[in-house]
Amino acid sequence: KVVPINVYLGKDFDLLIAMDSANLRNMRRFYGGDPAGKIHMLLDYAGRPGEEVADPWYTGDFQATWQDVSAGCAGLLEQLTEN
């Protein structure tokens, strides 16, 4: 579920997933850091820590974005089903 950042997200959700470093920085700033360890980059779950999902707005490469999102979601699903 994609929703705008708000004060309740940090309380209501177990994970907050960022697509790029700007998302990550804004979430950390909004929530005063990440003391509960809930904020992660999507591609961390694809074995690509710190990498950003390709933004088709700037790249025009929707295929690269699809591959990044698919890899991140597959890795996230794998981790969630292991735990």
Side-chain angles (χ1 to χ4, degrees):
K1 178 178 183 179
V2 177
V3 294
I5 293 176
N6 63 60
V7 70
Y8 302 106
L9 288 180
K11 297 175 185 173
D12 294 342
F13 292 95
D14 295 329
L15 292 173
L16 302 171
I17 306 295
M19 303 291 263
D20 61 33
S21 58
N23 292 154
L24 187 68
R25 181 180 58 252
N26 289 337
M27 282 192 265
R28 286 183 174 155
R29 185 175 23 200
F30 189 85
Y31 293 112
D34 186 19
K38 294 182 175 188
I39 302 172
H40 304 273
M41 293 282 282
L42 180 62
L43 291 179
D44 290 352
Y45 296 99
R48 296 163 48 191
E51 286 190 40
E52 299 183 352
V53 171
D55 187 337
W57 178 265
Y58 298 105
T59 66
D61 188 351
F62 287 87
Q63 185 64 33
T65 303
W66 172 254
Q67 290 170 344
D68 286 349
V69 171
S70 293
C73 288
L76 176 58
L77 179 62
E78 183 177 325
Q79 181 172 332
L80 291 173
T81 55
E82 286 177 357
N83 297 328

